[in-house]
Amino acid sequence: ALVNVVNMNVLDNPTCFTNPFQFEITFECLQELDDDLEWKVLYVGSAQDASRDQILDEILVGPVPVGVNKFVLQADAPDPSKLAPEDLLGVTVVLVTCSYKDREFVRVGYYVNNEYYNPDAPPPPPPPTDGSEPPPPPPLPNPVPLEHIQRQILADKPRVTKFPISWGDEAPETNSTATGGAAAAAVAASASNTATMGSMGVAGVGSPAPSSLATVTPPGFPSHATAHDSSGVVFMQEESNMDHSHFGGGGAGGVQAMTE
């Protein structure tokens, strides 16, 4: 590949649901490109309905100098009016993709946990000492105030997929242009597209998880977010659990700051 993502840092995390997503991206360009790079941020609104996926931002970055470059990709928070009420809270996925001449060559997925947080809520009562069941937690307000939803990205566990593309003027390959939840599942199901960086996927529209996918409850996230969760489940392959040392690339020399 002529462009390799060296590192990606999630900024302002955790934060309020309504705050923008911010990703500090470092990538290496090995030779001069004759076109811009297209970066996209996609929020999976529902594991059961790909039509609820939201493209939060699409930007063109260029001209791209040869060497190691760094910039901050910022995207607005998802539009809550386009999400089902039951999908406001719980675990989902945000995707950062990069394409060259409409050919996607890298996709980075992160788990996102949205949970209710009210700093003014009274502390929970101490557990009973007589062995009886503790009282149930108070019900959540309906609707949940957006300012009381905290978004946390599992930033140290990115799922990275690389796609082999042609960097010339040939027609784009048809197997690397899909987007959305159903496309991510197709990526996970295609062994030819997984490369050495692992693969990631999302359960498709109204369908059970493909047999090649593993149900993963991220560490520190609610254990009830499993395949039995009625609000829908986001699946990523467990073996594609990468830390930042697996992004690859990373040339010598200084880092060039870029503007969008």
Side-chain angles (χ1 to χ4, degrees), residues 122-244:
T129 58
D130 57 1
S132 60
E133 291 290 331
L140 297 179
N142 188 16
V144 178
L146 295 180
E147 63 271 16
H148 287 169
I149 299 179
Q150 180 174 266
R151 182 183 73 223
Q152 181 179 3
I153 299 175
L154 194 59
D156 60 342
K157 300 295 182 183
R159 267 66 171 173
V160 183
T161 310
K162 285 186 174 181
F163 304 91
I165 68 167
S166 170
W167 295 85
D169 294 325
E170 296 85 355
E173 299 178 12
T174 58
N175 65 347
S176 63
T177 57
T179 59
V187 169
S190 174
S192 63
N193 282 339
T194 56
T196 60
M197 299 290 289
S199 60
M200 58 78 55
V202 177
V205 181
S207 62
S211 58
S212 62
L213 296 180
T215 304
V216 180
T217 300
F221 282 1
S223 60
H224 64 267
T226 67
H228 304 289
D229 191 340
S230 60
S231 64
V233 187
V234 176
F235 294 90
M236 289 193 192
Q237 283 191 291
E238 193 166 16
E239 61 269 23
S240 65
N241 198 355
M242 299 292 179
D243 59 28
H244 289 289

Side-chain angles (χ1 to χ4, degrees), residues 36-38 97-106 163-174 176-178:
D36 296 340
L37 298 176
E38 181 183 19
T97 71
C98 190
S99 301
Y100 180 70
K101 294 186 176 181
D102 295 323
R103 307 164 196 173
E104 181 182 337
F105 63 89
V106 67
F163 304 91
I165 68 167
S166 170
W167 295 85
D169 294 325
E170 296 85 355
E173 299 178 12
T174 58
S176 63
T177 57

Side-chain angles (χ1 to χ4, degrees), residues 10 33 42 46 71 77 115 138 144 163 172 176 187 218 232 246 249 256 258:
V10 180
L33 303 177
L42 185 141
S46 171
F71 74 104
E115 62 181 356
V144 178
F163 304 91
S176 63
V187 169
H246 289 79
Q256 307 170 81
M258 299 193 68

Side-chain angles (χ1 to χ4, degrees), residues 40-132:
K40 182 184 300 184
V41 180
L42 185 141
Y43 185 86
V44 178
S46 171
Q48 298 173 328
D49 186 355
S51 67
R52 293 190 179 273
D53 292 350
Q54 297 185 40
I55 297 177
L56 304 183
D57 203 357
E58 291 178 285
I59 66 167
L60 294 176
V61 174
V64 179
V66 174
V68 180
N69 304 278
K70 179 187 292 186
F71 74 104
V72 174
L73 175 59
Q74 180 170 303
D76 291 338
D79 183 352
S81 67
K82 298 179 180 179
L83 300 174
E86 62 270 17
D87 290 327
L88 272 175
L89 301 178
V91 179
T92 186
V93 162
V94 64
L95 304 174
V96 179
T97 71
C98 190
S99 301
Y100 180 70
K101 294 186 176 181
D102 295 323
R103 307 164 196 173
E104 181 182 337
F105 63 89
V106 67
R107 175 178 299 193
V108 183
Y110 290 97
Y111 282 113
V112 181
N113 185 40
N114 298 309
E115 62 181 356
Y116 178 72
Y117 173 73
N118 184 2
D120 301 323
T129 58
D130 57 1
S132 60

